[in-house]
Amino acid sequence: DQQVKQNSPSLSVQEGRISILNCDYTNSMFDYFLWYKKYPAEGPTFLISISSIKDKNEDGRFTVFLNKSAKHLSLHIVPSQPGDSAVYFCAASESNYQLIWGAGTKLIIKP
Amino acid sequence: DGGITQSPKYLFRKEGQNVTLSCEQNLNHDAMYWYRQDPGQGLRLIYYSQIVNDFQKGDIAEGYSVSREKKESFPLTVTSAQKNPTAFYLCASSIRQITDTQYFGPGTRLTVL
């Protein structure tokens, strides 16, 4: 029973365009959400987070949107750059309990 | 140069043998974590520790054991009781809480033959 789902295993986007990565969750008690990025042969690195009291958080080229009614989270990368090619994981937590992770989406930025 | 080190990068063991994966951090973080990643799945928490000499089971602790005798070190032992030990293992640390930014090591790929 996956509480956090990333339904697209991979996504291919042209350099300079917007990349949109999606994440759905089932537990309405989740109150904190994070995105991590992973390059091959490295551990994941933190990208951006959002609390359930917000619906948007922005950090440079990265924006995370939270739609609580739809239980949906998305990460927007604008503009996409070659260095953004990586696997992106979303994760969620309820009341500071353990993180529940999605399976990841592999983003490929085409030149 | 602060960070988390995991060794070795690749590990091969025969079925029925216990094996210990190393994780060391010099970030002065209180909390440390062990995750397992399998193809097509998200990271799953095996064990975590928020303070020296204390640790809690995660979702998939069966067949694993840990110790936290020093703040810097959180070794994971994969025992022969773990039914499907072949996987990619990631160690992480954070300042204090599980939702603080977690810093990950490069991982250890364990293959049981």
Side-chain angles (χ1 to χ4, degrees), chain A residues 2 4-11 21-23 35-36 38 86-91 101-107, chain B residues 37-43:
Chain A
Q2 286 186 292
V4 176
K5 291 183 185 177
Q6 293 177 256
N7 291 317
S8 300
S10 66
L11 176 68
L21 296 104
N22 294 304
C23 181
W35 284 94
Y36 277 76
K38 184 183 182 303
V87 177
Y88 289 80
F89 292 96
C90 69
W101 296 74
T105 296
K106 183 175 184 178
L107 176 64
Chain B
Q37 187 183 14
D38 293 284
Q41 295 193 40
L43 280 64

Side-chain angles (χ1 to χ4, degrees), chain A residues 1 13-14 23-25 28 41 88 93 96 104 110:
Chain A
D1 176 30
V13 173
Q14 202 74 34
C23 181
D24 295 298
Y25 61 95
S28 58
Y88 289 80
S93 171
N96 207 30
K110 299 180 293 187

Side-chain angles (χ1 to χ4, degrees), chain A residues 2 31-32 34 36 38 41-46 87 89 93-104, chain B residues 9 35 37 40-45 48 57-59 88 90 97-107:
Chain A
Q2 286 186 292
D31 55 12
Y32 191 64
L34 307 95
Y36 277 76
K38 184 183 182 303
E42 295 181 15
T45 55
F46 172 76
V87 177
F89 292 96
S93 171
E94 174 190 345
S95 301
N96 207 30
Y97 191 51
Q98 66 172 315
L99 293 178
I100 305 298
W101 296 74
Chain B
K9 203 169 181 67
Y35 291 95
Q37 187 183 14
Q41 295 193 40
L43 280 64
R44 292 184 290 165
L45 185 65
Y48 68 101
K57 293 181 179 180
D59 284 339
F88 187 57
L90 283 161
Q97 297 182 116
I98 206 160
T99 49
D100 291 331
T101 299
Q102 293 189 22
Y103 295 82
F104 284 83

Side-chain angles (χ1 to χ4, degrees), chain B residues 29-43:
Chain B
H29 286 172
D30 286 333
M32 296 186 76
Y33 314 88
W34 273 105
Y35 291 95
R36 171 182 171 139
Q37 187 183 14
D38 293 284
Q41 295 193 40
L43 280 64

Side-chain angles (χ1 to χ4, degrees), chain A residues 7-63:
Chain A
N7 291 317
S8 300
S10 66
L11 176 68
S12 189
V13 173
Q14 202 74 34
E15 182 179 354
R17 299 280 184 100
I18 182 171
S19 294
I20 300 176
L21 296 104
N22 294 304
C23 181
D24 295 298
Y25 61 95
T26 57
N27 186 349
S28 58
M29 299 301 291
F30 284 147
D31 55 12
Y32 191 64
F33 304 86
L34 307 95
W35 284 94
Y36 277 76
K37 172 179 173 178
K38 184 183 182 303
Y39 292 119
E42 295 181 15
T45 55
F46 172 76
L47 198 53
I48 193 167
S49 63
I50 187 166
S51 162
S52 60
I53 62 172
K54 292 184 165 186
D55 53 21
K56 177 183 171 181
N57 189 26
E58 196 171 345
D59 183 2
R61 297 186 298 115
F62 302 90
T63 304

